[in-house]
């Protein structure tokens, strides 16, 4: 081989290497997956918004103590709810939920039987489409109470003219000749177990 041929061989090899490298680089650019941290990687969208049933009381609801003008007891009610009074009953309401507090004098503590024969018939007369659940004795932090659970239609909405099916808990508390009837109502299907427990657990005699 001549000296000229020997000198040309490295140049040819270099040219071949450049062509191969170019082809290799082009293929890896178009076919290689994007790195996991690149901006083209799939990112999850925002979490879907929760859809709470109508009447659900928020978990962050604040409660304040209510004390009637005549004294005798206190009970916690949700802060910011509208207050109204009719005869001896004080009501607190917000949208579809309501709390009613009715104090009275009583000669003896209520029993499951006395509530079933005296209170339940009155509730049935005062509500539409009354459906009795259970009448039981329960223990709360303020003492024992007879609890009545039932379902009934709410009052008609003045705008729509329609009623809502409510789930209701009525508690009858007694202490030293004083009785307090506490009624908690809200739409059937709303998860208000914890809020109603906070209210019914909060009654304190004074």
């Amino acid at each position: 081989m001549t000296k000229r041929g020997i000198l040309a061989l490295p140049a040819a090899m270099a040219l071949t290497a450049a062509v191969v490298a170019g082809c290799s680089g082009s293929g890896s650019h178009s076919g290689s997956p994007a790195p996991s941290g690149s901006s083209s990687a799939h990112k999850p969208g925002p979490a879907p918004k929760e859809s709470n049933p109508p009447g659900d009381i928020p978990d962050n609801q604040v409660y304040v103590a209510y004390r009637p003008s005549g004294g005798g007891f206190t009970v916690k009610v949700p802060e910011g709810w509208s207050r109204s009074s009719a005869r001896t009953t004080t009501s607190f309401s917000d949208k579809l939920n309501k709390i009613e507090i009715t104090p009275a004098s009583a000669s003896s503590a209520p029993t499951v039987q006395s509530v079933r024969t005296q209170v339940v018939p009155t509730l049935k007369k005062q509500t539409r489409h009354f459906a009795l659940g259970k009448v039981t004795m329960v223990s709360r932090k303020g003492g024992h109470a007879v609890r009545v659970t039932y379902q009934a239609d709410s009052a008609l909405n003045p705008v729509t003219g329609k009623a809502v099916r409510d789930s209701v808990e009525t508690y009858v508390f007694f202490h030293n000749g004083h009785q307090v009837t506490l009624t908690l109502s809200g739409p059937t299907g709303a998860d208000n177990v914890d809020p109603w427990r906070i209210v019914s657990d909060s009654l304190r005699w004074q």
Side-chain angles (χ1 to χ4, degrees):
M1 181 178 295
T2 63
K3 185 175 180 181
R4 182 178 179 183
I6 294 175
L7 293 175
L9 182 60
M13 293 178 63
L15 177 61
T16 301
V19 171
V20 172
C23 293
S24 175
S26 174
S28 64
H29 177 73
S30 61
S32 300
S36 59
S38 70
S39 59
S40 62
H42 174 71
K43 294 182 180 180
K49 294 182 179 179
E50 294 185 2
S51 178
N52 295 329
D56 263 15
I57 299 173
D59 293 338
N60 60 353
Q61 175 66 56
V62 176
Y63 298 82
V64 294
Y66 161 73
R67 183 176 184 273
S69 57
F73 69 93
T74 62
V75 63
K76 288 184 179 180
V77 297
E79 185 179 42
W81 283 24
S82 299
R83 175 178 169 178
S84 61
S85 298
R87 297 183 180 180
T88 59
T89 298
T90 301
S91 301
F92 296 88
S93 60
D94 179 68
K95 298 172 184 171
L96 301 175
N97 296 301
K98 179 181 285 188
I99 298 173
E100 296 176 309
I101 305 167
T102 307
S105 298
S107 58
S108 60
T111 64
V112 170
Q113 184 59 31
S114 68
V115 169
R116 186 180 290 275
T117 57
Q118 299 173 24
V119 177
V120 170
T122 301
L123 293 175
K124 188 174 182 179
K125 290 180 181 178
Q126 294 176 344
T127 57
R128 301 169 63 244
H129 299 138
F130 177 87
L132 180 63
K134 296 181 179 180
V135 183
T136 56
M137 182 70 71
V138 297
S139 178
R140 290 294 184 264
K141 293 180 179 180
H144 293 290
V146 178
R147 180 178 67 176
V148 184
T149 61
Y150 60 96
Q151 290 188 357
D153 288 353
S154 69
L156 296 178
N157 185 297
V159 177
T160 64
K162 296 181 180 180
V164 174
R165 191 63 175 169
D166 280 343
S167 291
V168 190
E169 298 180 7
T170 292
Y171 294 82
V172 185
F173 292 90
F174 175 85
H175 178 74
N176 291 341
H178 298 281
Q179 179 175 289
V180 173
T181 301
L182 178 64
T183 300
L184 316 170
S185 61
T188 298
D191 184 12
N192 288 335
V193 173
D194 290 340
W196 288 161
R197 185 60 186 252
I198 290 172
V199 176
S200 63
D201 251 344
S202 70
L203 187 137
R204 295 290 185 275
W205 299 103
Q206 295 182 334

